[in-house]
Amino acid sequence: MINVNSTKIIGYLQKMFEMKVITSILFITVLSGCTSQQSAYRAAKGEGSGYKDVALAENHYRVQFKINGPARRAAQKYALVRASELTIAQGYDWFVVEKRTLRTLNEPDPFESTPSPIATRNCGLLGCRTQTQLPAQPMDVPDTETFATMEIRMGRGVRPEKESYDAREIWEAQQKENNAQSQ
């Protein structure tokens, strides 16, 4: 026979176990969200986000970085980081950006207004009740993608001044940023 106190204790322990499970799930979810943000810089797989590059000549490349969302600055930064990595890997010191494009597909309209809520009032014998809800949003809203594309020409020695970048400077700055984020 189980007395009332032991039933309360068992119920309490079950609730504590449930809370630990919920807390663990939330912690894992938050942790996985943080890691996915840090892994935005990577090689693209198929048509996914990340960088791609194509050799146009021995020291001439096209570098593209695709990112999900309207993050124009991030796409441009990661394209520069990839250009610097590629330049160093090919044995060059600097690169010149000969052509640069930036485009965002399916960008949301910043002037589009949010729908007004709809209020419904229902009255009965015991009084009235008001309900407020937002109108249904279309489910087929396309995802926003941002592409930063650059054609670069690599070189060694004295760096030209116009639209040129020191590959090691950019790469080292990115490494410092990565180290700061991981701490």
Side-chain angles (χ1 to χ4, degrees):
M1 177 182 226
I2 299 177
N3 65 22
V4 175
N5 285 339
S6 59
T7 305
K8 287 182 181 178
I9 292 172
I10 291 172
Y12 176 76
L13 291 174
Q14 286 175 334
K15 286 183 182 180
M16 290 298 291
F17 178 76
E18 291 171 4
M19 289 302 292
K20 284 184 179 183
V21 170
I22 291 170
T23 304
S24 298
I25 290 170
L26 286 172
F27 179 75
I28 290 169
T29 303
V30 168
L31 195 59
S32 66
C34 292
T35 57
S36 66
Q37 288 176 352
Q38 292 176 355
S39 63
Y41 183 78
R42 62 182 176 276
K45 292 181 182 175
E47 295 302 313
S49 62
Y51 63 80
K52 292 181 180 181
D53 45 70
V54 176
L56 304 174
E58 181 182 340
N59 67 336
H60 190 196
Y61 280 78
R62 179 179 300 122
V63 176
Q64 179 186 48
F65 195 89
K66 174 184 171 185
I67 195 164
N68 293 326
R72 292 171 174 253
R73 284 189 179 169
Q76 289 175 322
K77 177 183 120 181
Y78 289 143
L80 279 173
V81 169
R82 179 57 188 159
S84 70
E85 284 180 347
L86 199 53
T87 301
I88 293 167
Q90 298 299 318
Y92 293 97
D93 302 322
W94 49 264
F95 62 93
V96 174
V97 177
E98 294 185 334
K99 185 177 179 183
R100 182 186 311 246
T101 59
L102 180 66
R103 64 190 169 121
T104 302
L105 302 178
N106 305 321
E107 188 169 22
D109 183 0
F111 299 107
E112 185 177 309
S113 64
T114 56
S116 300
I118 299 171
T120 309
R121 188 169 176 99
N122 297 318
C123 295
L125 293 173
L126 300 175
C128 293
R129 189 177 83 190
T130 304
Q131 289 182 311
T132 306
Q133 64 185 37
L134 289 173
Q137 295 291 318
M139 296 302 287
D140 60 345
V141 176
D143 292 333
T144 303
E145 299 173 327
T146 302
F147 297 86
T149 307
M150 299 185 309
E151 283 190 26
I152 62 168
R153 189 165 309 274
M154 304 170 190
R156 293 183 188 94
V158 178
R159 187 176 105 196
E161 294 190 24
K162 185 180 178 187
E163 282 287 316
S164 68
Y165 298 88
D166 183 313
R168 293 204 191 302
E169 244 178 54
I170 293 172
W171 189 82
E172 288 170 2
Q174 182 63 33
Q175 295 308 307
K176 284 181 186 176
E177 186 178 315
N178 290 345
N179 290 338
Q181 285 178 354
S182 66
Q183 293 177 350

